[in-house]
Amino acid sequence: MLFIDELLVDNARLDGMGFSPFGKVIEGMDVVDKIYSGYGEGAPHGAGPDQGRIQQEGNTYLKKEFPKLDYIRSAAILR
């Protein structure tokens, strides 16, 4: 699951939850803003996916319960 943090601060509390920073959006935030956000925050704070079920059931759970989610199909490293 993609987590995009728009805050430019150290979020050490997320490290133990499996959220690993791997990049930075330097342009194209308008594209990021088009990613479907209708489910809101993840459970239990919102109607979005439950992290525990994602870890246990993976895409089977996501595709069944959250059919409008967007997926990254490919990525590239630019140097």
Side-chain angles (χ1 to χ4, degrees), residues 10-46:
D10 182 4
N11 284 316
R13 66 179 183 79
L14 299 175
D15 294 346
M17 296 183 211
F19 292 99
S20 301
F22 65 88
K24 178 180 179 180
V25 178
I26 55 173
E27 65 180 57
M29 198 62 189
D30 59 315
V31 175
V32 173
D33 290 336
K34 292 178 185 175
I35 294 173
Y36 184 76
S37 62
Y39 296 119
E41 294 294 319
H45 298 100

Side-chain angles (χ1 to χ4, degrees), residues 2 7 10 21 27-28 30 32 35 37 44 46 51-52 55-57 67 71:
L2 177 63
L7 302 174
D10 182 4
E27 65 180 57
D30 59 315
V32 173
I35 294 173
S37 62
Q51 289 294 322
Q55 290 174 351
Q56 290 184 345
E57 302 172 50
Y71 291 85

